[in-house]
Amino acid sequence: MKKLIFTIMLGLMGGMALTSCIDNANGKRLSTMLTIEPSQDLLDACDIEITYKGEGGIDLTDTITTTKWFKIIVNDSFPTEVGLVNLRYLVKPGFKPTKDFYDLDCRCELKAKEDDLRSWTYPLNLNLVAGDKVVSYLDLINIQVKETVEDAARPEIAETGLYTVERKTPAENDSTSKEYDPTTKYFKFTAK
């Protein structure tokens, strides 16, 4: 019960921080919140090393050990990059399965306060993995993620959770412009 209350409070604090602490800067600033939600089964087997884009598009790394993790990133210089770069699954030393099957799930959400960006990705979605195969699956996923990150410049790899953000020109924000999109006010997001 304490974990549930803690998770709810953590989510509420993140939402309040994103909506109340940062005012709408009319395209001068972009506030994004990156949320990672791994399943408890996944966290029983491993910690998760996350690499994400921080302020100025700089790669930052953190370790996730709870079922709800989030960061709020504020950018005021454009173009920049936002979002998830990489997740690596670090099997806990001496992990021994205690269940017959594990649900290895991890969900990522990226949303922006000042614009209409809301993106979900599922970097890991493996259900009913046999307990004695968990470590093998996580090792294979780590190899696959490494290759995807190395090949990220290839155009056929899309929807990775990483975006290039550019500020729109005043003409692009004008409703008479051909490129006007009423759902995005100040920024142009391009999936990498």
Side-chain angles (χ1 to χ4, degrees):
M1 186 67 176
K2 287 182 182 181
K3 285 184 181 181
L4 176 64
I5 292 171
F6 177 73
T7 301
I8 291 170
M9 293 300 293
L10 188 64
L12 288 173
M13 290 185 331
M16 289 173 23
L18 185 61
T19 58
S20 67
C21 293
I22 305 166
D23 64 341
N24 191 342
N26 294 330
K28 295 180 182 148
R29 177 174 46 215
L30 177 68
S31 312
T32 55
M33 184 161 85
L34 179 63
T35 305
I36 306 292
E37 295 181 13
S39 66
Q40 186 60 55
D41 280 355
L42 181 61
L43 291 176
D44 289 345
C46 69
D47 291 331
I48 303 169
E49 180 184 87
I50 179 175
T51 304
Y52 62 97
K53 292 293 182 179
E55 183 179 343
I58 297 171
D59 285 359
L60 298 175
T61 302
D62 203 348
T63 302
I64 299 171
T65 59
T66 62
T67 56
K68 181 108 175 178
W69 175 95
F70 71 92
K71 286 290 178 185
I72 297 172
I73 301 105
V74 179
N75 280 288
D76 58 8
S77 178
F78 302 92
T80 192
E81 292 181 325
V82 297
L84 174 67
V85 176
N86 185 18
L87 290 176
R88 219 168 50 119
Y89 306 98
L90 309 172
V91 177
K92 292 182 177 176
F95 168 74
K96 299 279 188 227
T98 58
K99 298 171 25 175
D100 291 336
F101 296 98
Y102 284 74
D103 290 330
L104 306 178
D105 293 310
C106 188
R107 181 179 96 122
C108 173
E109 180 182 12
L110 178 67
K111 57 186 168 183
K113 178 183 183 248
E114 294 85 2
D115 228 300
D116 192 34
L117 171 69
R118 191 169 199 148
S119 169
W120 287 275
T121 57
Y122 293 85
L124 186 59
N125 189 11
L126 298 172
N127 295 311
L128 298 174
V129 174
D132 62 343
K133 302 292 183 201
V134 168
V135 173
S136 298
Y137 271 95
L138 292 175
D139 287 343
L140 288 171
I141 294 296
N142 283 333
I143 292 169
Q144 180 184 8
V145 167
K146 181 179 182 283
E147 289 173 356
T148 301
V149 169
E150 289 171 354
D151 292 341
R154 293 176 30 209
E156 64 269 20
I157 298 175
E159 296 302 322
T160 61
L162 187 61
Y163 292 83
T164 299
V165 182
E166 298 173 277
R167 189 178 289 133
K168 286 186 172 183
T169 65
E172 290 174 317
N173 283 323
D174 180 7
S175 64
T176 60
S177 169
K178 286 181 183 177
E179 295 189 26
Y180 176 72
D181 179 356
T183 63
T184 58
K185 299 176 184 175
Y186 304 109
F187 301 99
K188 179 180 179 181
F189 299 92
T190 307
K192 291 190 80 173

